Amino acid sequence: MNWLILTYQNLTRKASTKFLLIFSFCTLAIAGIVWACADSGEENFSMFSPEAFVAKEYTPFFYDASYWYYSGNVEVDDNNNRFNDQIVSEWDAYFNDQLSKPTLRYLLLKASQKGIDSANNYVNGKITKLKPDSIQINTSKLDKAKFNNLFAYLKLAKECEKFAVIAPYGWYDTPPTLPPVSAKLESSLSSAFNNSKDPFIKQRLWFQLVRYYFFNDDTIKSKTGAIDNKAGILVWFNNYKGTFPQNLTYYRAMGYVAGYYRRKGNYALSNYLYSRCYDYSYELKIPSKFSFHAQQETDWRATLKLAKTNAEKITLWHMLGMEYDPVRAVKEIAALDPKSDKMDLLLSRIINMSEGEGESNFSGKVADSTQQAIKKAEVTEVNLIDSIALKNNNTKPYYWNLAAGYLNYIYKDYKKAAKFYDVAKKQLPANDKLITAQYKLLTILLNIDELQRIDSKTEAKITEPLTWLVNLRDGKEKIAALRFDPALGICANHIAQIYQKQGDWLKANCFKDSITFYTDSSHVQKLVDLMTKPQKSAFETTMLRYYPHTLDELYYHQATLLTYKEEVDKALQKMSLVKKMSPDTLYANPFNSRLNDCHDCDHVAHQKQKFSPLTFLKTMQSIKTDLKAGKDVYRNAWLLANAYYNITYYGNGRLFYQSAIIGAIDFDPGYISAPFQKMVTSQNIAEKYYLLAMANAQTDEQKARCTFMAAKCERNEYYNQYSANNKNSEIEQAPVPTSGKYFADLKNHYSNTKYYQEVLQECGYFKRFVTGK
């Protein structure tokens, strides 16, 4: 039976002036959850794994920057099914395995009234075949009296499902309209309750009555039919709560009572009851925590007074700490019982939240105007955790010492961090791979961050920890739940900064890749030499694992640089070294020209010959050889001009330069990597060869074609200048360029050509220049 403990509507929040809590008003009206989307889109910045220290039952409540519940993996909105396994197990025990669990699951959770009737008819010999075929009932071994109890109970319970169990819906959805409740249902439930002699069935009927009054009526009728001012839910719960065992059904009924008090504004009692439910079982923790909200300090103090034992007070502080102020909660719990495991969760949340707050320290960002207030909170937080760790009187002293050390590391007190780590090292549990790895990770971060200079001795010392980190990244070392990923970047960045200060740009770039590094051919060659070095040191081998590019990508980049320097022979030599080409095929024929630039048109056009970057360079080499020999100068100059035009941003072969190093962003020249922007947008080489082709043209048609392409180069240089002068604007926003020298030449000298008419028809720029419109 899909029984719920709680129901929720989305929360509205405002700050309390009396208490550093969040004001949340929950109206519990219908089943299901009205679920407001949590903020998402940010990755958790964390190198401290609560899984290493905190009991699994608290996993849903680990800190997550993006979700209310850890990693978004917890089914917070599945109250309809939350207790299904426990319910089936309880009924299985009731029948003493006389009904299979699949059959019980079907009858309790899936069957319609018709399906239940069918099973009852089969048990009582009225039909000979069960439907569906997946269920089986051995009537010879079945206690029919118990089955009749189940059948009678299910007839009522299915009626209750109509108002108490609906599919979850989003905050943006219109709440579903619930069907009217039969006026006879309450009397049927109470009559069945009064007549039942079976304690197991009687408690479940009691639960149904408590839930019925929660959803349908706050008052109860007397035997004469008069209205009694007593709330029905309280009458039924309080009159019989001492009759039944305090099991799952009992605490689920208590959850509805807590919801009733929440609805009535008795927040103190409501929160206390929710804390009792939270403590009972793992399945009750999520809905209880979600509904627990202290409103004001006065409410909170009243809630605390209801606690009968220190254990209950600890649970209350524990729940408050999850929602609002974990530092205050830890302080209170430590005073009540320093060995309570409920502090463990809160400590992990403090650490994981501090990581996010301290990320500005890791990344070197300048603190904002609230830094002073934040610093004060940090001091309070660190001092508290330090003081608890120093006492070493909790059940996991290594946890508290590691946490204290890490907090001090986050806030840059490296000496204190090291002292706490030294203490923790002696306390680590033997053979616990995750905790040992957590200790190692934290000490690596500290040791790397403390480095001021790196020499060969230092390199030898840090080789092992750097290898361990990169083995984790590459899956060669596997430690479940260890949060190590940010550590790679933090360590690599710090090492790169030191090498930069020392003037070792090669090693700096291995740990932190910089696009400017690749503008210097000698830098690139040094990397190639290092990667092809036969005998590398252990540090060099590890260092290159942090470097993001392959040898093929370096060769390709060298070939690219040489191509734009017109050193095609050398470019071809480098390109020939590439074993795995990327890109491997250019989308269009780079030796063709087009009156109007249309990359998509060229990309889909049929190509007699496809060009890879390698065959493209080989063809260029052949053309340049013929051109140098004076063969067919017009044609060869024209082809070279097209090739150099097309491998700029404006041509159809821009894929040529869109390598792993230069990058592929191409919707505006201003977005191309700055060090290479001029190289891949400049029209100078293409213009040079168009003018050479024009000087050797045989006809006016040829000259007109060359003149217009030179005009396109001239226009593109205008856009290049616009992008350089207007960093935040795209070229579509540029004013219409004025006509240049080559538009004038085309108008004045080649108006008699067919190509001139084609340009006039296709090119709006030129038509405006010619007609003035």
Side-chain angles (χ1 to χ4, degrees), residues 506 526-533 536 540 543-544:
L506 175 64
K526 286 180 180 178
L527 252 179
V528 170
D529 293 342
L530 175 61
M531 295 179 78
T532 55
K533 181 179 175 181
K536 301 180 186 68
E540 287 171 337
M543 178 176 68
L544 287 174

Side-chain angles (χ1 to χ4, degrees), residues 592-598 601-602 638 642 645-646 650 652 690 704-705 708-713 715-716 743 746 754-767:
N592 288 345
S593 68
R594 176 181 285 275
L595 190 154
N596 60 324
D597 291 336
C598 178
C601 303
D602 287 344
W638 171 257
N642 289 341
Y645 183 89
N646 281 322
Y650 302 96
N652 66 26
Y690 282 129
R705 189 178 296 271
F708 178 71
M709 291 304 295
K712 286 174 66 175
C713 293
R715 178 203 62 188
N716 293 343
F743 267 3
L746 186 62
K754 179 181 178 182
Y755 189 75
Y756 176 89
Q757 296 301 321
E758 291 177 13
V759 173
L760 199 63
Q761 181 68 28
E762 293 291 335
C763 180
Y765 290 112
F766 187 65
K767 185 175 183 179

Side-chain angles (χ1 to χ4, degrees), residues 393-406:
N393 64 346
N394 49 68
T395 56
K396 298 174 184 174
Y398 57 88
Y399 173 33
W400 287 84
N401 280 299
L402 284 176
Y406 187 45

Side-chain angles (χ1 to χ4, degrees), residues 7 48 145 258 288 321 394 515:
T7 58
F48 195 87
S288 300
N394 49 68
I515 190 68

Side-chain angles (χ1 to χ4, degrees), residues 283-512:
E283 290 74 24
L284 284 165
K285 278 181 168 48
I286 288 175
S288 300
K289 187 267 181 184
F290 191 88
S291 296
F292 178 98
H293 294 288
Q295 308 297 310
Q296 301 285 340
E297 182 72 14
T298 52
D299 293 321
W300 175 239
R301 290 297 174 189
T303 299
L304 284 173
K305 288 181 180 179
L306 294 172
K308 297 177 177 61
T309 64
N310 280 351
E312 289 186 356
K313 289 180 182 178
I314 286 170
T315 299
L316 287 169
W317 281 112
H318 168 83
M319 296 182 75
L320 183 84
M322 279 193 279
E323 188 73 14
Y324 305 115
D325 190 347
V327 175
R328 179 186 180 189
V330 164
K331 182 179 179 180
E332 296 290 343
I333 294 173
L336 291 167
D337 180 6
K339 296 187 181 299
S340 172
D341 71 340
K342 287 188 168 64
M343 280 199 303
D344 294 346
L345 172 66
L346 299 181
L347 177 59
S348 77
R349 290 179 63 86
I350 290 171
I351 298 298
N352 294 147
M353 287 188 284
S354 296
E355 286 180 306
E357 293 165 1
E359 190 174 353
S360 60
N361 294 329
F362 295 132
S363 59
K365 296 177 183 177
V366 177
D368 60 25
S369 59
T370 64
Q371 185 65 25
Q372 188 173 358
I374 293 173
K375 187 65 179 177
K376 185 177 179 181
E378 290 171 0
V379 170
T380 301
E381 175 184 279
V382 174
N383 287 344
L384 173 65
I385 305 308
D386 285 358
S387 66
I388 296 174
L390 288 168
K391 292 177 182 176
N392 283 297
N393 64 346
N394 49 68
T395 56
K396 298 174 184 174
Y398 57 88
Y399 173 33
W400 287 84
N401 280 299
L402 284 176
Y406 187 45
L407 267 181
N408 281 285
Y409 163 78
I410 289 173
Y411 300 125
K412 303 297 183 181
D413 192 335
Y414 294 157
K415 287 185 179 180
K416 283 180 67 176
K419 288 180 181 179
F420 279 112
Y421 289 161
D422 287 343
V423 174
K425 182 179 181 181
K426 301 171 185 176
Q427 301 167 333
L428 297 178
N431 303 318
D432 191 309
K433 190 174 183 180
L434 177 57
I435 293 176
T436 302
Q438 180 69 84
Y439 164 79
K440 183 173 183 175
L441 179 68
L442 298 182
T443 53
I444 289 172
L445 285 165
L446 176 61
N447 293 336
I448 296 294
D449 234 28
E450 287 185 307
L451 293 177
Q452 300 296 320
R453 182 170 179 79
I454 301 177
D455 55 20
S456 58
K457 289 184 179 179
T458 307
E459 288 177 349
K461 186 178 179 180
I462 63 177
T463 296
E464 189 280 329
L466 291 179
T467 302
W468 183 71
L469 283 175
V470 83
N471 281 343
L472 287 169
R473 181 200 68 187
D474 296 343
K476 293 183 178 182
E477 178 89 23
K478 295 182 180 180
I479 302 172
L482 183 66
R483 302 179 182 185
F484 62 86
D485 192 62
L488 283 114
I490 291 170
C491 292
N493 287 345
H494 185 69
I495 291 170
Q497 289 172 6
I498 295 174
Y499 279 128
Q500 287 172 4
K501 290 177 182 178
Q502 295 177 191
D504 194 331
W505 295 100
L506 175 64
K507 290 179 179 177
N509 197 71
C510 285
F511 284 103
K512 187 177 182 181

